[in-house]
Amino acid sequence: MSSCSEAYSFPRVHAFFYLWYGNPETDGKYLHWNHEILPHWDPVLRERYPYGIRFQPPRDIHSGFYPKRGCYSSRDRWTLKEQLKELVHHGVGAVAASWWGPEFRAGTSDTQGVSTDSAILDLLAAAEEVDGMYVAFHLEPYPGRSAATVGEDVKYLLGRVGSSRALLRLHGKPVFYVYDSYHIPSYEWATVLGRQSKFSLRGTPYDGFFIALFLNEGDGHEIVRGQFDGFYTYFASEAVSYGSKRSNWKALAAFAKEARKAFVASVGPGYNDTRIRPWNAATTVDREEGLTYDRAWSAAITAGADIVSITSYNEWGEGTQIEPAVQKEGYASYGEGAGAANLYLESTLRWSQKFRTEGETMGNPHDEL
C-alpha cells in the first residue's frame, strides 16, 4: 500500500478459505465433514472426554452449524465459483487459501490427512472466472517445516501457479500469510526474507509479501528481525493470544506503522470447536446474534488496520464461518427468518463498505509500505 492508487485498488478485505472438504460425488468419500474428535494433549484430561470417534456425514457433521450448501467438495469447480462470487458480492476481494505444502513432503496435510495441494489449482482456476476475486496463500505448518523448506515451498508453488492472473499481489508480489511463523526463529526467517542472504527470496522471481502470525506480546520485534512485511492476528477468540485481543490492536497498529509493516486485523463472528475438541469450551465465543462480529470489525477500523482478514469464510469445525448456514435439528443457526442464513455475509458487506469509506476519508495510515 505504497501509494493511494495502489492502496485502493488492492483489495483490503480478505477471508481465510479452507480447501479440505470432500464428498462421495466428487472425491469418492467424505473429507473433513467426518472429522475425528481430537484428544487432549494431557493424558489425564484426555480420558475425561471422548476422542477418536468420527462424525458420520451428511446427517452428523463435525460442526455445530450446518452449511446451506450441504457437505460440498472443495474440488468442485462450480461450488468454488459460487463461493467466490458470494464473497465478492459481499465486499471481500481476496481469499487466503489454506495450503499445507507440496504433496511430496511427508506430513503436508491437515490433522485429518487431507492435502490441499491439488485443490489450490481448482481454486485458482475458479477465481480466474470471477471478476474482482484474488487468491493469497495461507501457508500451514507441517512436521520439519523450517524457513528453508518454506522457501522451497514458495518456489514450488509459484512455479505451478505464479502466472495466474488471479494471484493476489502487492507491489507486484504474491501475498503469503504464514501460520505459526513464531515456531521458527527470526534469524532463520531472515535467511529467506532478508536481502543480504544468498538464500534470500528477495529480488528473485519468487519474492513475495510475507505476513507473519502475531501471537505473543513480544512477537513484533521477532517479526521485524525476521524481515516479514507485515503481521496478522488470525484467532477469532480473544482468549487465545495477545494478538487476538482487540484492546491491543491500537498498539499493534502503532507498532506496525513505526516498523513500516502492514497490520492485518483478523475479525471473526464467534468461536466454538467443542464438537471436535470437547475439552476446549473455555475458548468458546458466543456470536450474540452478530454483535461479536460487529465489535471485531469496529475495533479493526478504529485501530487503523491496513487490511482486515476474516476468520473465516468456511472453517466449520471451529465455528468461525460466515458462509451461509441453515436451521437444522441438532445444530445451531444464525437466527430466525428467511434471511438469517446470510446474516454474516450481509454484515460483511456493510462493514467492508465502512472500512473502505473510512480509509478513503482518513488516507492510508501506512503510505510508506
Side-chain angles (χ1 to χ4, degrees), residues 293-304:
Y293 197 47
D294 290 343
R295 285 194 290 267
W297 266 102
S298 179
I301 294 172
T302 301

Side-chain angles (χ1 to χ4, degrees), residues 283-299:
T283 62
T284 296
V285 178
D286 191 275
R287 291 183 174 234
E288 298 183 50
E289 299 181 330
L291 292 179
T292 297
Y293 197 47
D294 290 343
R295 285 194 290 267
W297 266 102
S298 179

Side-chain angles (χ1 to χ4, degrees), residues 105-120:
R105 284 197 194 281
T108 51
S109 62
D110 68 10
T111 61
Q112 305 305 293
V114 180
S115 169
T116 56
D117 195 25
S118 60
I120 203 81

Side-chain angles (χ1 to χ4, degrees), residues 194-210:
R195 297 188 176 277
Q196 306 306 315
S197 169
K198 65 180 180 180
F199 304 107
S200 177
L201 298 174
R202 302 303 192 187
T204 76
Y206 307 105
D207 202 351
F209 194 87
F210 294 91

